[in-house]
Amino acid sequence: MKYFQCDYVEGCHPKILQKLIESNLEQTPGYGTDRYSETARKKIQIACGNPEAQVHFLVGGTQTNLTVIASILRPWQGVLSAETGHINCHETGAIEAAGHKVLALPSTDGTITGEQVHKYCQEHFESGIKEHTIQPGMVYISHPTENGTLYTKAQLTELKKACDTYHLPLFIDGARLGYGLTSPDSGLTLKDIAQLSDIFYIGGTKCGAMFGEAVVIPNPGLVKDFRYMIKQRGGMLAKGRLLGIQFDTLFTDGLYFEICEKAVKQALTIREAFAKKGIPLYGKSCTNQQFVVLNGEQLDKLGKKYAYEVWGPNGDGNTIVRFCTSWATQDEDVESLIGDIQEL
Amino acid sequence: MKYFQCDYVEGCHPKILQKLIESNLEQTPGYGTDRYSETARKKIQIACGNPEAQVHFLVGGTQTNLTVIASILRPWQGVLSAETGHINCHETGAIEAAGHKVLALPSTDGTITGEQVHKYCQEHFESGIKEHTIQPGMVYISHPTENGTLYTKAQLTELKKACDTYHLPLFIDGARLGYGLTSPDSGLTLKDIAQLSDIFYIGGTKCGAMFGEAVVIPNPGLVKDFRYMIKQRGGMLAKGRLLGIQFDTLFTDGLYFEICEKAVKQALTIREAFAKKGIPLYGKSCTNQQFVVLNGEQLDKLGKKYAYEVWGPNGDGNTIVRFCTSWATQDEDVESLIGDIQEL
Amino acid sequence: MKYFQCDYVEGCHPKILQKLIESNLEQTPGYGTDRYSETARKKIQIACGNPEAQVHFLVGGTQTNLTVIASILRPWQGVLSAETGHINCHETGAIEAAGHKVLALPSTDGTITGEQVHKYCQEHFESGIKEHTIQPGMVYISHPTENGTLYTKAQLTELKKACDTYHLPLFIDGARLGYGLTSPDSGLTLKDIAQLSDIFYIGGTKCGAMFGEAVVIPNPGLVKDFRYMIKQRGGMLAKGRLLGIQFDTLFTDGLYFEICEKAVKQALTIREAFAKKGIPLYGKSCTNQQFVVLNGEQLDKLGKKYAYEVWGPNGDGNTIVRFCTSWATQDEDVESLIGDIQEL
Amino acid sequence: MKYFQCDYVEGCHPKILQKLIESNLEQTPGYGTDRYSETARKKIQIACGNPEAQVHFLVGGTQTNLTVIASILRPWQGVLSAETGHINCHETGAIEAAGHKVLALPSTDGTITGEQVHKYCQEHFESGIKEHTIQPGMVYISHPTENGTLYTKAQLTELKKACDTYHLPLFIDGARLGYGLTSPDSGLTLKDIAQLSDIFYIGGTKCGAMFGEAVVIPNPGLVKDFRYMIKQRGGMLAKGRLLGIQFDTLFTDGLYFEICEKAVKQALTIREAFAKKGIPLYGKSCTNQQFVVLNGEQLDKLGKKYAYEVWGPNGDGNTIVRFCTSWATQDEDVESLIGDIQEL
């Protein structure tokens, strides 16, 4: 069985493993105060084009989302998100458990627009009974989205403008950021992300690391005392150098971008194979996640050799299915899959 | 500089590293549903003498404490703990952030007694205005304690009895459990721990793993739906097999106990060296943490070659200092330290 | 200006005021342990046909909703509600601030069905990744709903059955319960409510009292320690007898039902007047709230003499408007309004 | 039986009752936007000597404390308080339920000092591992304290200075403020309170009102959006004018001060009677609460005619007991009590 159902089925990139092996018995202070974390922070600042940016390392995505959001919002505020956003659907109410409502905006492709934010805020702040409803306090998006789609630079700029109008920090969940930035359709660089958001994270877990997410705060004044929050919410790793080593490696010689780009290319060849075969694509993902609509027979045939993720019913008796590649996907497995798609 | 200030300055035991290397490109499902996690759970059940026990893997100690406690208490309940307990002192209010007060009981050596619990509960439940105060809802202890001390079997039995009288689950924080169970002073086995508590965790981070804590729930009815809580509080590792691999290795051929026992022996030789030199010991730790009282000159001398942790002022102008060993401590470093103690 | 915009613009029913005057200098113990609260509880138990029911008095509706819901749910659970439910729309995220997501179900008239609950729960509990999403833990409805509509006995029975299937307590927000039970369309008595729900409250604020809501728990085992929760969430009135006196009076000689019935009759005559005039009614309210669609000219004309509540745009350029009656509405004001409707 | 055990055993001052009767059928908008609330706010601003101060009305003390504290603190912050503070002892963990630890400072008479605050903050902010512990975020005191004692102007000034040094807002719980300001020992006026604190409340429940507390925020920038918080935490009374009417009356012609002063005088005559009789006084209260140490025989004799509150054992076999007066205490009852004290 070859696994295409998600992008976290293997361990980590061999270069990271090598670094972990080499440093294993070295003694370093804890909680992210070690030299590896320090150099990793520096390299990320440089990659973001912002030497003043704060960089913090956390262990996983849900943890990062809840820690960031709870550190920014006041108790009477909520976070605007696409209704399909990860925080709204797949984090077991982590944001609500931290006291905040996710204010869900309709979305068909995973993105939201500046206009939606503008309209929501306008209605709220002009309402006579606004204190009877939750105040919008920040905006959450993911890039790429849950659907594998990307914001254009124009869209992100417009969204940031709407956020600025209402003084809402813009938070970008970059669990799969590498796969977005290296997509041929990407109009955004890491520096753009750092300029067009108030806080974001660079995903490691799905992009080559064993685990780990790097939170970047371009304007360090936004969240004072973030280390208190990381510790309180359980995200401060005792052996913090494990995170430092991983991100240091990923941001040495462009490894992060190199391995993500390869995965995106693989995904797009799979996409092309489905398209050529006349199998309907679902959505317009140009990143490492590809969604297609399969009938029962196709599901069975491919299911014998490949693990995929069932995304949901398509409404016509067929099924939407996700195929993911990752930094670890083998070319031969992709070729095998494409061959079997052609045979369908 | 040789580090004795804590027990998390290195990576992980070489056998674990080897397993991580071997399995690195293997594909497994996520979130702890993989085969490594499964066998690790089984081995821990066997080691605990309880095949029905639930076993869950989390990443770190603060995360584990908050997830366990928040999954048990109702909103109007608090957790009884020694005033020196980790949850009361060193977790940035993680328990309060989850909505619960830590009900601190006085303690000079890190332990609390059944009598203290009994008295606290009796006063609460017999009070006419009890609903104006927080209801005690569970009891938290650490074994070994923050001070490196141990509960005897009689003490733990008495504590459990008091808990049972008031229907309070007893939770044991075992961040350093291995160093407790392998102390020559230990009157408790892992099976005893599993019988005399309602929920506990076996610490990995400080006992040979890169990271990870294994929560054991001897009576699976105690916390239904614990996986929801792990996910919600950010403790569910995407690549859960990393935790499974580590605990599987630690619980193969008694590795966990073997490496902890060695560290305790090293610590006791350091203790002996201080005692012989006439340097005052602080407390009665018989585990891998040793506390001594040093004067300024001694601090300086040892500080040139060894990192130790300043525990606090002793009140007489001298300073209480902690020296820790761990599974990774080298015999030659211990010998060097002992030599320098003799030279003081 | 005559106020029809809501049902809380006056003080309290004169009989209650009289009782407050008579008892003013009497000395009673605090926090609801007084004799008035005791007799009020007894009268409510009798009215509910359940001498075992627990009865607690709180001050206001949002407070009651948050206290009840937070006392029942576990941290990983949410509450199912119509998307139009008060807890979802008009309580500033009070439920989320207590840590729980409101799981909103679509509704056009304010009600939800047993089938909706069944489907939601089935999908959740059969999902392979259910611990990544919030577990449904209880069901909230209001009766009458926000839209003034009522559940039939069959609908409520079906809803309760679905709740029982999944062990979800059913909570009825009865902020306007009196206006529902005394509607000519009501197929439900107070005893039915007490039998077909697990916890509910009898609204006082909008039904004759100065303030106050009476929570009834037919099965006292459902929420042990509810008084702790009331105190913790700020709902335990020091001079609890103020609540006791009010509910004692309302449940003496059927006053609660008598005054609510009168208000409903007034509302239905207003409804009839709009209907006769050919002005579109919005929804099928048969209680004290009436919704109509007015054009700009009509809004202006009526707005000169009457305060009404703007409910929202109708989508066709016209406006949905709410007219409320209450126990305090004067017949002459109703007649005046009807006259002016006829003049439109 | 005459009640001296607390100061909330009667309804409200007759002038308030009269106003409630007169206004009962008047129609006003809800949630504190009515004209009574408006004039009450103005009168309080004038009494505080600060026309810019924000004034908000809430229903009860615990509710007020939790709403104020939760509106100021960030998630990783706690509130410094005397260990005897109401928020630490008698509010069922309301502050912890809002996510914050009460950082208890030792106190023998109910007060804390600027020096204590200074020392606590200095130790925290200079600590190398400060993010592992809760950050002090504000200071809570009550005036009078739980023990009936008062801060001098010098003490309060020193405390405020320490707060300012560390940018901690100073919050004064004034549940019994009237009894403090009118004590012959008081060196503080209401204007002083408004100048020497960042937020405080003027207690109504125990000082003449049926219920209600008036929060004053001298610097309106301190808590933006406070009305959202009041609503969310269940403290926004639908018929807000009930609060407005009560405080409007209390702050007309100095009624608040007049009635509290009388109660304090009564209390001091009781104190004097105990002192003359040679019965030990407990503490130095010069307000409406008096604490004395009674033996078993004295408890029995007085207990036959008077309700008092048992404060706790004195450690010598005798019992500390509290006698309270209030705005409603009758002179004849005080005389009767004094007579019976003389007979002991």
Side-chain angles (χ1 to χ4, degrees), chain A residues 227-229 231-232, chain B residues 62 86-87 89-97, chain D residues 75-77 130-135:
Chain A
R227 278 177 61 83
Y228 285 83
M229 249 339 239
K231 174 64 188 171
Q232 184 185 74
Chain B
T62 296
H86 206 259
I87 56 169
C89 300
H90 288 101
E91 302 189 353
T92 321
I95 305 308
E96 287 81 8
Chain D
W76 55 90
Q77 296 179 322
K130 59 177 182 292
E131 64 258 30
H132 292 246
T133 64
I134 297 163
Q135 188 182 90

PDB file of all heavy atoms in Angstrom, chain A residues 227-229 231-232, chain B residues 62 86-87 89-97, chain D residues 75-77 130-135:
ATOM      1  N   ARG A 227       6.119  34.042  25.009  1.00  0.00           N
ATOM      2  CA  ARG A 227       6.699  32.839  25.620  1.00  0.00           C
ATOM      3  C   ARG A 227       5.892  32.359  26.832  1.00  0.00           C
ATOM      4  O   ARG A 227       5.785  31.167  27.080  1.00  0.00           O
ATOM      5  CB  ARG A 227       8.170  33.069  25.992  1.00  0.00           C
ATOM      6  CG  ARG A 227       9.102  32.891  24.794  1.00  0.00           C
ATOM      7  CD  ARG A 227      10.563  33.191  25.131  1.00  0.00           C
ATOM      8  NE  ARG A 227      11.126  32.334  26.157  1.00  0.00           N
ATOM      9  CZ  ARG A 227      11.638  31.106  25.928  1.00  0.00           C
ATOM     10  NH1 ARG A 227      11.633  30.603  24.725  1.00  0.00           N
ATOM     11  NH2 ARG A 227      12.137  30.402  26.925  1.00  0.00           N
ATOM     12  N   TYR A 228       5.308  33.296  27.579  1.00  0.00           N
ATOM     13  CA  TYR A 228       4.415  32.884  28.671  1.00  0.00           C
ATOM     14  C   TYR A 228       3.266  32.019  28.107  1.00  0.00           C
ATOM     15  O   TYR A 228       2.880  31.016  28.688  1.00  0.00           O
ATOM     16  CB  TYR A 228       3.777  34.094  29.337  1.00  0.00           C
ATOM     17  CG  TYR A 228       4.636  34.933  30.257  1.00  0.00           C
ATOM     18  CD1 TYR A 228       5.473  35.923  29.749  1.00  0.00           C
ATOM     19  CD2 TYR A 228       4.577  34.784  31.637  1.00  0.00           C
ATOM     20  CE1 TYR A 228       6.227  36.735  30.596  1.00  0.00           C
ATOM     21  CE2 TYR A 228       5.329  35.594  32.491  1.00  0.00           C
ATOM     22  CZ  TYR A 228       6.152  36.560  31.966  1.00  0.00           C
ATOM     23  OH  TYR A 228       6.897  37.370  32.805  1.00  0.00           O
ATOM     24  N   MET A 229       2.708  32.498  27.000  1.00  0.00           N
ATOM     25  CA  MET A 229       1.564  31.800  26.402  1.00  0.00           C
ATOM     26  C   MET A 229       1.963  30.412  25.909  1.00  0.00           C
ATOM     27  O   MET A 229       1.226  29.448  26.061  1.00  0.00           O
ATOM     28  CB  MET A 229       1.087  32.613  25.202  1.00  0.00           C
ATOM     29  CG  MET A 229      -0.227  33.304  25.292  1.00  0.00           C
ATOM     30  SD  MET A 229      -1.433  32.766  26.454  1.00  0.00           S
ATOM     31  CE  MET A 229      -2.741  32.388  25.302  1.00  0.00           C
ATOM     32  N   LYS A 231       4.340  28.527  27.006  1.00  0.00           N
ATOM     33  CA  LYS A 231       4.512  27.658  28.170  1.00  0.00           C
ATOM     34  C   LYS A 231       3.151  27.265  28.748  1.00  0.00           C
ATOM     35  O   LYS A 231       2.886  26.097  29.018  1.00  0.00           O
ATOM     36  CB  LYS A 231       5.343  28.385  29.236  1.00  0.00           C
ATOM     37  CG  LYS A 231       5.472  27.645  30.551  1.00  0.00           C
ATOM     38  CD  LYS A 231       6.235  26.322  30.409  1.00  0.00           C
ATOM     39  CE  LYS A 231       6.181  25.503  31.687  1.00  0.00           C
ATOM     40  NZ  LYS A 231       6.732  24.159  31.492  1.00  0.00           N
ATOM     41  N   GLN A 232       2.270  28.242  28.933  1.00  0.00           N
ATOM     42  CA  GLN A 232       0.988  27.968  29.584  1.00  0.00           C
ATOM     43  C   GLN A 232       0.146  26.973  28.795  1.00  0.00           C
ATOM     44  O   GLN A 232      -0.552  26.139  29.367  1.00  0.00           O
ATOM     45  CB  GLN A 232       0.199  29.268  29.736  1.00  0.00           C
ATOM     46  CG  GLN A 232      -1.089  29.110  30.489  1.00  0.00           C
ATOM     47  CD  GLN A 232      -1.886  30.390  30.500  1.00  0.00           C
ATOM     48  OE1 GLN A 232      -2.474  30.789  29.505  1.00  0.00           O
ATOM     49  NE2 GLN A 232      -1.900  31.063  31.630  1.00  0.00           N
TER      50      GLN A 232
ATOM     51  N   THR B  62       3.798  19.773  31.029  1.00  0.00           N
ATOM     52  CA  THR B  62       2.765  20.758  31.319  1.00  0.00           C
ATOM     53  C   THR B  62       1.504  20.429  30.529  1.00  0.00           C
ATOM     54  O   THR B  62       0.389  20.472  31.053  1.00  0.00           O
ATOM     55  CB  THR B  62       3.279  22.169  30.949  1.00  0.00           C
ATOM     56  OG1 THR B  62       4.385  22.485  31.794  1.00  0.00           O
ATOM     57  CG2 THR B  62       2.193  23.207  31.115  1.00  0.00           C
ATOM     58  N   HIS B  86       4.515  21.088  40.838  1.00  0.00           N
ATOM     59  CA  HIS B  86       4.864  21.703  39.564  1.00  0.00           C
ATOM     60  C   HIS B  86       3.697  22.506  39.006  1.00  0.00           C
ATOM     61  O   HIS B  86       3.867  23.608  38.496  1.00  0.00           O
ATOM     62  CB  HIS B  86       5.295  20.627  38.556  1.00  0.00           C
ATOM     63  CG  HIS B  86       6.224  21.128  37.495  1.00  0.00           C
ATOM     64  ND1 HIS B  86       5.813  21.430  36.222  1.00  0.00           N
ATOM     65  CD2 HIS B  86       7.553  21.413  37.539  1.00  0.00           C
ATOM     66  CE1 HIS B  86       6.843  21.857  35.515  1.00  0.00           C
ATOM     67  NE2 HIS B  86       7.916  21.851  36.283  1.00  0.00           N
ATOM     68  N   ILE B  87       2.488  21.956  39.126  1.00  0.00           N
ATOM     69  CA  ILE B  87       1.310  22.655  38.589  1.00  0.00           C
ATOM     70  C   ILE B  87       1.049  23.963  39.326  1.00  0.00           C
ATOM     71  O   ILE B  87       0.419  24.869  38.785  1.00  0.00           O
ATOM     72  CB  ILE B  87       0.035  21.791  38.638  1.00  0.00           C
ATOM     73  CG1 ILE B  87      -0.257  21.293  40.065  1.00  0.00           C
ATOM     74  CG2 ILE B  87       0.139  20.620  37.662  1.00  0.00           C
ATOM     75  CD1 ILE B  87      -1.641  20.658  40.208  1.00  0.00           C
ATOM     76  N   CYS B  89       3.517  25.899  40.659  1.00  0.00           N
ATOM     77  CA  CYS B  89       4.674  26.810  40.643  1.00  0.00           C
ATOM     78  C   CYS B  89       5.295  27.065  39.277  1.00  0.00           C
ATOM     79  O   CYS B  89       5.839  28.136  39.053  1.00  0.00           O
ATOM     80  CB  CYS B  89       5.789  26.239  41.513  1.00  0.00           C
ATOM     81  SG  CYS B  89       5.313  26.025  43.215  1.00  0.00           S
ATOM     82  N   HIS B  90       5.271  26.101  38.403  1.00  0.00           N
ATOM     83  CA  HIS B  90       6.128  26.225  37.222  1.00  0.00           C
ATOM     84  C   HIS B  90       5.428  25.943  35.912  1.00  0.00           C
ATOM     85  O   HIS B  90       6.055  25.482  34.957  1.00  0.00           O
ATOM     86  CB  HIS B  90       7.350  25.301  37.374  1.00  0.00           C
ATOM     87  CG  HIS B  90       8.315  25.801  38.389  1.00  0.00           C
ATOM     88  ND1 HIS B  90       8.392  25.298  39.652  1.00  0.00           N
ATOM     89  CD2 HIS B  90       9.216  26.828  38.339  1.00  0.00           C
ATOM     90  CE1 HIS B  90       9.317  25.960  40.336  1.00  0.00           C
ATOM     91  NE2 HIS B  90       9.826  26.891  39.573  1.00  0.00           N
ATOM     92  N   GLU B  91       4.111  26.177  35.876  1.00  0.00           N
ATOM     93  CA  GLU B  91       3.424  25.926  34.610  1.00  0.00           C
ATOM     94  C   GLU B  91       2.627  27.145  34.163  1.00  0.00           C
ATOM     95  O   GLU B  91       1.646  27.016  33.435  1.00  0.00           O
ATOM     96  CB  GLU B  91       2.579  24.649  34.728  1.00  0.00           C
ATOM     97  CG  GLU B  91       3.458  23.449  35.105  1.00  0.00           C
ATOM     98  CD  GLU B  91       2.753  22.099  35.042  1.00  0.00           C
ATOM     99  OE1 GLU B  91       1.544  22.058  34.836  1.00  0.00           O
ATOM    100  OE2 GLU B  91       3.467  21.081  35.215  1.00  0.00           O
ATOM    101  N   THR B  92       3.039  28.325  34.595  1.00  0.00           N
ATOM    102  CA  THR B  92       2.451  29.583  34.125  1.00  0.00           C
ATOM    103  C   THR B  92       0.920  29.586  34.215  1.00  0.00           C
ATOM    104  O   THR B  92       0.220  30.100  33.349  1.00  0.00           O
ATOM    105  CB  THR B  92       2.883  29.869  32.659  1.00  0.00           C
ATOM    106  OG1 THR B  92       4.253  29.490  32.489  1.00  0.00           O
ATOM    107  CG2 THR B  92       2.765  31.336  32.311  1.00  0.00           C
ATOM    108  N   GLY B  93       0.426  28.964  35.278  1.00  0.00           N
ATOM    109  CA  GLY B  93      -1.023  29.005  35.468  1.00  0.00           C
ATOM    110  C   GLY B  93      -1.793  28.181  34.456  1.00  0.00           C
ATOM    111  O   GLY B  93      -2.950  28.485  34.161  1.00  0.00           O
ATOM    112  N   ALA B  94      -1.177  27.116  33.950  1.00  0.00           N
ATOM    113  CA  ALA B  94      -1.863  26.301  32.939  1.00  0.00           C
ATOM    114  C   ALA B  94      -3.166  25.710  33.475  1.00  0.00           C
ATOM    115  O   ALA B  94      -4.146  25.594  32.745  1.00  0.00           O
ATOM    116  CB  ALA B  94      -0.932  25.180  32.461  1.00  0.00           C
ATOM    117  N   ILE B  95      -3.163  25.357  34.751  1.00  0.00           N
ATOM    118  CA  ILE B  95      -4.374  24.759  35.330  1.00  0.00           C
ATOM    119  C   ILE B  95      -5.458  25.824  35.488  1.00  0.00           C
ATOM    120  O   ILE B  95      -6.634  25.595  35.180  1.00  0.00           O
ATOM    121  CB  ILE B  95      -4.045  24.084  36.678  1.00  0.00           C
ATOM    122  CG1 ILE B  95      -2.901  23.065  36.514  1.00  0.00           C
ATOM    123  CG2 ILE B  95      -5.280  23.437  37.285  1.00  0.00           C
ATOM    124  CD1 ILE B  95      -3.086  22.053  35.424  1.00  0.00           C
ATOM    125  N   GLU B  96      -5.063  26.987  35.940  1.00  0.00           N
ATOM    126  CA  GLU B  96      -6.031  28.079  36.066  1.00  0.00           C
ATOM    127  C   GLU B  96      -6.534  28.495  34.684  1.00  0.00           C
ATOM    128  O   GLU B  96      -7.710  28.812  34.519  1.00  0.00           O
ATOM    129  CB  GLU B  96      -5.399  29.274  36.785  1.00  0.00           C
ATOM    130  CG  GLU B  96      -5.186  29.073  38.279  1.00  0.00           C
ATOM    131  CD  GLU B  96      -3.930  28.270  38.603  1.00  0.00           C
ATOM    132  OE1 GLU B  96      -3.142  27.987  37.674  1.00  0.00           O
ATOM    133  OE2 GLU B  96      -3.726  27.920  39.779  1.00  0.00           O
ATOM    134  N   ALA B  97      -5.659  28.506  33.695  1.00  0.00           N
ATOM    135  CA  ALA B  97      -6.098  28.859  32.348  1.00  0.00           C
ATOM    136  C   ALA B  97      -7.137  27.861  31.847  1.00  0.00           C
ATOM    137  O   ALA B  97      -7.973  28.195  31.005  1.00  0.00           O
ATOM    138  CB  ALA B  97      -4.912  28.913  31.386  1.00  0.00           C
TER     139      ALA B  97
ATOM    140  N   PRO D  75      -4.253  36.393  29.246  1.00  0.00           N
ATOM    141  CA  PRO D  75      -4.364  35.003  29.733  1.00  0.00           C
ATOM    142  C   PRO D  75      -3.223  34.536  30.633  1.00  0.00           C
ATOM    143  O   PRO D  75      -3.421  33.653  31.463  1.00  0.00           O
ATOM    144  CB  PRO D  75      -4.392  34.199  28.435  1.00  0.00           C
ATOM    145  CG  PRO D  75      -4.914  35.123  27.395  1.00  0.00           C
ATOM    146  CD  PRO D  75      -4.419  36.491  27.786  1.00  0.00           C
ATOM    147  N   TRP D  76      -2.032  35.090  30.460  1.00  0.00           N
ATOM    148  CA  TRP D  76      -0.891  34.602  31.221  1.00  0.00           C
ATOM    149  C   TRP D  76      -0.660  35.418  32.500  1.00  0.00           C
ATOM    150  O   TRP D  76       0.367  35.274  33.145  1.00  0.00           O
ATOM    151  CB  TRP D  76       0.370  34.635  30.358  1.00  0.00           C
ATOM    152  CG  TRP D  76       0.639  35.989  29.769  1.00  0.00           C
ATOM    153  CD1 TRP D  76       1.388  36.986  30.328  1.00  0.00           C
ATOM    154  CD2 TRP D  76       0.133  36.514  28.543  1.00  0.00           C
ATOM    155  NE1 TRP D  76       1.379  38.092  29.514  1.00  0.00           N
ATOM    156  CE2 TRP D  76       0.623  37.830  28.416  1.00  0.00           C
ATOM    157  CE3 TRP D  76      -0.701  35.993  27.531  1.00  0.00           C
ATOM    158  CZ2 TRP D  76       0.308  38.641  27.310  1.00  0.00           C
ATOM    159  CZ3 TRP D  76      -1.011  36.800  26.449  1.00  0.00           C
ATOM    160  CH2 TRP D  76      -0.505  38.096  26.342  1.00  0.00           C
ATOM    161  N   GLN D  77      -1.633  36.253  32.840  1.00  0.00           N
ATOM    162  CA  GLN D  77      -1.474  37.101  34.020  1.00  0.00           C
ATOM    163  C   GLN D  77      -2.393  36.673  35.160  1.00  0.00           C
ATOM    164  O   GLN D  77      -3.471  36.121  34.936  1.00  0.00           O
ATOM    165  CB  GLN D  77      -1.761  38.554  33.653  1.00  0.00           C
ATOM    166  CG  GLN D  77      -0.782  39.139  32.637  1.00  0.00           C
ATOM    167  CD  GLN D  77      -1.095  40.564  32.267  1.00  0.00           C
ATOM    168  OE1 GLN D  77      -2.252  40.938  32.142  1.00  0.00           O
ATOM    169  NE2 GLN D  77      -0.056  41.372  32.097  1.00  0.00           N
ATOM    170  N   LYS D 130      10.975  33.512  34.175  1.00  0.00           N
ATOM    171  CA  LYS D 130       9.700  34.119  34.531  1.00  0.00           C
ATOM    172  C   LYS D 130       8.545  33.610  33.692  1.00  0.00           C
ATOM    173  O   LYS D 130       7.424  33.514  34.164  1.00  0.00           O
ATOM    174  CB  LYS D 130       9.792  35.632  34.469  1.00  0.00           C
ATOM    175  CG  LYS D 130      10.164  36.224  33.145  1.00  0.00           C
ATOM    176  CD  LYS D 130      10.138  37.743  33.259  1.00  0.00           C
ATOM    177  CE  LYS D 130      10.459  38.420  31.955  1.00  0.00           C
ATOM    178  NZ  LYS D 130      11.850  38.250  31.506  1.00  0.00           N
ATOM    179  N   GLU D 131       8.810  33.222  32.454  1.00  0.00           N
ATOM    180  CA  GLU D 131       7.692  32.755  31.631  1.00  0.00           C
ATOM    181  C   GLU D 131       7.192  31.377  32.050  1.00  0.00           C
ATOM    182  O   GLU D 131       6.204  30.899  31.517  1.00  0.00           O
ATOM    183  CB  GLU D 131       8.050  32.763  30.134  1.00  0.00           C
ATOM    184  CG  GLU D 131       9.158  31.813  29.756  1.00  0.00           C
ATOM    185  CD  GLU D 131      10.469  32.575  29.563  1.00  0.00           C
ATOM    186  OE1 GLU D 131      10.662  33.610  30.223  1.00  0.00           O
ATOM    187  OE2 GLU D 131      11.285  32.138  28.754  1.00  0.00           O
ATOM    188  N   HIS D 132       7.842  30.775  33.030  1.00  0.00           N
ATOM    189  CA  HIS D 132       7.352  29.513  33.589  1.00  0.00           C
ATOM    190  C   HIS D 132       6.415  29.760  34.768  1.00  0.00           C
ATOM    191  O   HIS D 132       5.912  28.823  35.365  1.00  0.00           O
ATOM    192  CB  HIS D 132       8.523  28.622  34.031  1.00  0.00           C
ATOM    193  CG  HIS D 132       9.341  28.128  32.878  1.00  0.00           C
ATOM    194  ND1 HIS D 132       9.407  26.819  32.524  1.00  0.00           N
ATOM    195  CD2 HIS D 132      10.095  28.793  31.972  1.00  0.00           C
ATOM    196  CE1 HIS D 132      10.195  26.684  31.457  1.00  0.00           C
ATOM    197  NE2 HIS D 132      10.623  27.867  31.107  1.00  0.00           N
ATOM    198  N   THR D 133       6.250  31.025  35.096  1.00  0.00           N
ATOM    199  CA  THR D 133       5.363  31.358  36.214  1.00  0.00           C
ATOM    200  C   THR D 133       4.385  32.438  35.754  1.00  0.00           C
ATOM    201  O   THR D 133       4.597  33.081  34.727  1.00  0.00           O
ATOM    202  CB  THR D 133       6.177  31.879  37.424  1.00  0.00           C
ATOM    203  OG1 THR D 133       6.815  33.100  37.034  1.00  0.00           O
ATOM    204  CG2 THR D 133       7.246  30.875  37.846  1.00  0.00           C
ATOM    205  N   ILE D 134       3.338  32.625  36.525  1.00  0.00           N
ATOM    206  CA  ILE D 134       2.305  33.583  36.129  1.00  0.00           C
ATOM    207  C   ILE D 134       2.804  35.008  36.317  1.00  0.00           C
ATOM    208  O   ILE D 134       3.399  35.338  37.344  1.00  0.00           O
ATOM    209  CB  ILE D 134       1.047  33.351  36.963  1.00  0.00           C
ATOM    210  CG1 ILE D 134       0.509  31.952  36.670  1.00  0.00           C
ATOM    211  CG2 ILE D 134      -0.018  34.394  36.657  1.00  0.00           C
ATOM    212  CD1 ILE D 134      -0.447  31.480  37.691  1.00  0.00           C
ATOM    213  N   GLN D 135       2.516  35.830  35.349  1.00  0.00           N
ATOM    214  CA  GLN D 135       2.927  37.229  35.431  1.00  0.00           C
ATOM    215  C   GLN D 135       1.905  38.010  36.258  1.00  0.00           C
ATOM    216  O   GLN D 135       0.699  37.915  35.986  1.00  0.00           O
ATOM    217  CB  GLN D 135       2.967  37.798  34.018  1.00  0.00           C
ATOM    218  CG  GLN D 135       3.555  39.173  33.917  1.00  0.00           C
ATOM    219  CD  GLN D 135       3.519  39.679  32.476  1.00  0.00           C
ATOM    220  OE1 GLN D 135       2.556  40.308  32.064  1.00  0.00           O
ATOM    221  NE2 GLN D 135       4.543  39.373  31.721  1.00  0.00           N
TER     222      GLN D 135
END
